[in-house]
Amino acid sequence: ASFLVLCFRTSLVTPLIFVLLLQPPLTQLSIVTQPNIVLLMADDLGIGDVGCYGNDTIRTPNIDRLAKEGVKLTQHIAAAPLCTPSRAAFLTGRYPLRSGMDAINTYRVIFWNGGSGGLPPNETTFAKILQQQGYSTGLIGKWHQGVNCESRNDHCHHPLKHGFDYFYGMPFTLISDCQPTETPEMDRVFRRKLWLYTQMICLVTLTAALGRLTGLISVHWKTLTCLAGFSLLFFVSWFSSYGFVRYWNCIMMRNHEVTEQPMVTDRTTSLILRESISFIERNKYKPFLLFLSFLHSHTPLLTTEKFLGRSSHGLYGDNVEEMDWMVGQVLDAIDKQGLKNTTLVYFASDHGGWLERQEGTMQLGGWNGIYRGGKAMGGWEGGIRVPGIFRWPGVLPAGTVIDEPTSLMDIYPTVVHLAGGVLPQDRVIDGRDLMPLLRGTVEHSEHEFLFHYCGIHLHAVRWHQKDTGAIWKAHYVTPIFRPLGAGACYDRGFCPCFGEGVTHHDPPLLFDLSRDPSEAKPLSADTEPLFDTVIRKIARAIEEHRRTLTPVPEQLSLYNVVWKPWLQPCCGTFPFCWCDKEGDN
């Protein structure tokens, strides 16, 4: 009997040993436990533009499918209401003013590929940490975090210096100037002033010359020559940049190489989609991070002919529906490679929709649903509350809705934790790991306070009072809407952060978002018994927050944002910058 038992045990142990011998080394096993991470970020998409957030006229079945199969966040907040600072916060997990990526003036984003400002080299992005953890990291689409610092090829702000192994896309952002048929968008008012000043100087020069020729004015020819020289110099000084915006800013790059200058907008969408799917296919055998940063739905709303006229919301709706189709193509590629259950997919927008973006009666910006305000407004919910969706089958419970304050900055610690990395210990990280909340192991978000900046100016603060469920929000500064009674700054095109275009509130405007998410009815000491207590609590939180801030170089200073010819990416011999290296493809 004992012999039979021994034989039986041997028969069990032998195949077990054989199976263990066939297993890969332990290091490979640990890599398999790291999920692939696909981050999908829309540009200027309003929370009210998506079906699963209440829109029943723009069709977004693929984004809606993500929400159905995953977790939808209803209080997902951008750290800034504009592209450059919001994306800096997303990449670093830190409020943008900590890295100098928020504005001290009216220039609130990176303005030129040939500027010297950008995401500082000493900032540690989540891509850099995942790269160190063995991930293949790729960025496809929009960057808008700067390119060079001191020379045309130092690439100090470039994605490849910030942890991405591969980059294909726009180092800048899509603007109407990229379409020759569109009305110029970049610095439109300032450009008109420059044209006016040029015409005035030329008129003075011509008048003086005619006066000298007719003898009506006594002026030396040397003076006239200097005046004419000044006129020419003034014109060249600004037209060399603003006259060639399409060539300087509307370019495509693959890694450090400029591939299109200017970009051929008719094929941009197909190339970005092709590159995204190719990245997934190339890296399916090891963990990868893909950050697909859409050019949709920013003006000039590049939309292929297949989607034109399909929506009931004009060109903007067509553009959103095309982006949703692109999301579906990426999800299909993940499924086709058998990666669905090992891939965390995240979808969001960088900030709220642009309410003021109109051409005549046509609305070219997004809709922010029930929320007040929009893009460029640092305090109002419409500028900062965005879609936030996570899907990871088998790990995150499908069909879950979470109404807790979360931030785009939370992606940083979340993906670093999933990759097995360690957060930097030498700096403040404002984001919080979302996995416990997403998996349902905790009830509340870790955020008690969130600070809402417009540039470097603190406009509002929210306090999540977890014991009562109240979400208090105090506004210290709000933009003045024009015309009166409107919901945006239609007279300016953008709402300002400071100056004559804002109102300071003392005491601050107070809302309870749990009862009034539209911020329609401000509370007062007469209507809210806790008014004074809440305001004092928030004031103390602001003091503590400000003690964590340290001075850093301002990346969006006037010097850093102006165009510098010696920093301009160029695929030829400057200033003869023209190429189309994608044409053969």
Side-chain angles (χ1 to χ4, degrees):
S2 60
F3 176 77
L4 289 174
V5 170
L6 180 62
C7 289
F8 177 72
R9 288 177 177 172
T10 303
S11 67
L12 288 177
V13 171
T14 301
L16 179 61
I17 293 173
F18 184 73
V19 168
L20 288 172
L21 287 172
L22 289 177
Q23 290 293 326
L26 187 59
T27 53
Q28 284 183 276
L29 275 173
S30 64
I31 290 175
V32 174
T33 64
Q34 297 173 310
N36 304 310
I37 296 167
V38 176
L39 308 175
L40 308 172
M41 180 168 283
D43 196 1
D44 285 19
L45 181 75
I47 192 171
D49 294 325
V50 185
C52 58
Y53 283 91
N55 193 306
D56 57 5
T57 54
I58 296 180
R59 293 163 294 191
T60 56
N62 295 293
I63 299 171
D64 298 346
R65 170 160 60 106
L66 276 179
K68 185 178 180 180
E69 297 176 356
V71 179
K72 181 178 76 171
L73 305 175
T74 62
Q75 203 177 154
H76 201 40
I77 308 299
L82 284 175
C83 308
T84 294
S86 174
R87 290 163 183 267
F90 175 73
L91 288 161
T92 63
R94 292 150 52 81
Y95 287 107
L97 79 166
R98 295 195 191 276
S99 57
M101 291 293 281
D102 232 338
I104 58 174
N105 50 46
T106 56
Y107 290 95
R108 297 165 58 187
V109 298
I110 299 289
F111 247 71
W112 298 96
N113 281 325
S116 54
L119 191 62
N122 64 352
E123 285 294 325
T124 303
T125 66
F126 56 70
K128 189 172 289 185
I129 297 179
L130 266 63
Q131 189 181 55
Q132 294 165 354
Q133 292 301 116
Y135 273 70
S136 293
T137 56
L139 167 61
I140 312 294
K142 169 176 172 172
W143 174 237
H144 210 189
Q145 299 292 302
V147 183
N148 299 312
C149 288
E150 297 177 356
S151 69
R152 182 167 294 124
N153 296 312
D154 67 28
H155 299 118
C156 69
H157 303 307
H158 191 279
L160 268 59
K161 282 285 178 72
H162 281 294
F164 291 100
D165 299 315
Y166 184 75
F167 169 62
Y168 177 79
M170 285 192 78
F172 192 60
T173 182
L174 199 59
I175 49 176
S176 291
D177 304 68
C178 298
Q179 283 277 61
T181 57
E182 295 285 326
T183 304
E185 172 185 334
M186 187 172 154
D187 241 357
R188 189 183 301 182
V189 175
F190 186 51
R191 259 196 268 196
R192 287 174 185 157
K193 289 180 180 178
L194 290 172
W195 265 117
L196 178 63
Y197 297 153
T198 302
Q199 291 167 348
M200 289 171 63
I201 293 170
C202 289
L203 184 62
V204 170
T205 304
L206 288 171
T207 302
L210 288 171
R212 175 69 172 81
L213 290 171
T214 58
L216 295 175
I217 302 175
S218 177
V219 58
H220 292 292
W221 283 113
K222 186 180 289 186
T223 304
L224 283 175
T225 303
C226 291
L227 193 56
F230 174 75
S231 302
L232 180 62
L233 187 64
F234 178 76
F235 174 72
V236 170
S237 69
W238 71 265
F239 194 77
S240 60
S241 56
Y242 285 105
F244 299 90
V245 170
R246 185 163 164 256
Y247 284 84
W248 302 151
N249 280 347
C250 304
I251 68 175
M252 298 292 284
M253 296 182 77
R254 176 175 286 104
N255 297 327
H256 292 146
E257 181 186 22
V258 177
T259 58
E260 296 180 32
Q261 191 168 11
M263 64 194 291
V264 182
T265 54
D266 291 345
R267 64 179 180 226
T268 303
T269 296
S270 61
L271 287 177
I272 285 178
L273 182 58
R274 185 189 73 185
E275 289 281 347
S276 301
I277 293 174
S278 175
F279 183 85
I280 293 170
E281 292 172 347
R282 291 197 310 269
N283 294 284
K284 62 184 177 182
Y285 294 117
K286 64 178 294 187
F288 65 81
L289 162 72
L290 170 60
F291 178 18
L292 172 48
S293 180
F294 291 104
L295 302 184
H296 297 61
S297 49
H298 198 293
T299 51
L301 301 173
L302 299 184
T303 309
T304 58
E305 190 174 347
K306 176 183 175 182
F307 285 89
L308 289 176
R310 284 184 42 160
S311 83
S312 57
H313 285 277
L315 183 59
Y316 181 82
D318 299 343
N319 193 254
V320 173
E321 292 193 3
E322 180 173 56
M323 180 187 63
D324 178 80
W325 171 78
M326 293 174 73
V327 170
Q329 294 296 298
V330 172
L331 296 180
D332 289 347
I334 292 170
D335 292 352
K336 184 179 178 181
Q337 301 303 325
L339 302 174
K340 181 174 181 178
N341 292 336
T342 56
T343 303
L344 172 69
V345 179
Y346 166 76
F347 177 85
S349 178
D350 55 355
H351 50 70
W354 190 358
L355 301 179
E356 296 95 342
R357 190 65 176 95
Q358 301 172 329
E359 291 293 345
T361 59
M362 184 184 297
Q363 178 66 29
L364 299 178
W367 182 51
N368 301 311
I370 65 170
Y371 304 107
R372 192 172 183 180
K375 176 179 179 176
M377 305 182 207
W380 295 119
E381 287 292 285
I384 54 177
R385 191 182 289 222
V386 298
I389 303 170
F390 289 85
R391 188 193 76 173
W392 187 0
V395 178
L396 302 182
T400 304
V401 178
I402 295 176
D403 188 24
E404 289 282 311
T406 58
S407 170
L408 265 67
M409 296 183 292
D410 296 338
I411 304 309
Y412 186 100
T414 302
V415 299
V416 167
H417 166 75
L418 289 172
V422 178
L423 294 177
Q425 301 299 305
D426 61 344
R427 64 199 66 192
V428 176
I429 300 296
D430 298 297
R432 298 292 181 265
D433 183 5
L434 287 177
M435 284 307 292
L437 183 67
L438 296 175
R439 299 187 70 175
T441 58
V442 299
E443 186 178 350
H444 294 297
S445 159
E446 286 189 43
H447 291 290
E448 183 177 10
F449 296 95
L450 284 172
F451 302 91
H452 307 308
Y453 283 90
C454 186
I456 62 168
H457 306 277
L458 184 66
H459 274 206
V461 180
R462 86 176 59 210
W463 172 32
H464 183 203
Q465 192 177 3
K466 299 176 185 179
D467 56 343
T468 65
I471 300 170
W472 306 102
K473 188 171 172 195
H475 287 261
Y476 295 88
V477 183
T478 56
I480 298 172
F481 293 156
R482 289 278 191 272
L484 291 175
C489 303
Y490 292 100
D491 59 328
R492 296 170 178 261
F494 270 122
C495 283
C497 296
F498 61 92
E500 297 178 354
V502 302
T503 300
H504 293 262
H505 302 281
D506 186 15
L509 300 178
L510 182 67
F511 301 91
D512 180 0
L513 299 181
S514 63
R515 293 178 286 170
D516 181 19
S518 301
E519 298 173 290
K521 299 175 182 177
L523 303 170
S524 67
D526 296 328
T527 60
E528 176 51 62
L530 295 175
F531 184 89
D532 292 329
T533 303
V534 171
I535 297 302
R536 283 196 300 269
K537 177 78 172 180
I538 293 177
R540 285 195 297 270
I542 293 172
E543 290 177 11
E544 293 177 13
H545 167 67
R546 284 180 170 154
R547 282 197 289 269
T548 70
L549 303 177
T550 55
V552 293
E554 296 293 343
Q555 298 298 321
L556 301 181
S557 66
L558 186 58
Y559 173 78
N560 279 333
V561 299
V562 297
W563 182 69
K564 302 174 181 67
W566 60 92
L567 297 183
Q568 176 61 47
C570 180
C571 62
T573 301
F574 186 85
F576 304 104
C577 305
W578 181 91
C579 64
D580 180 7
K581 299 177 183 179
E582 299 289 351
D584 294 336
N585 296 327

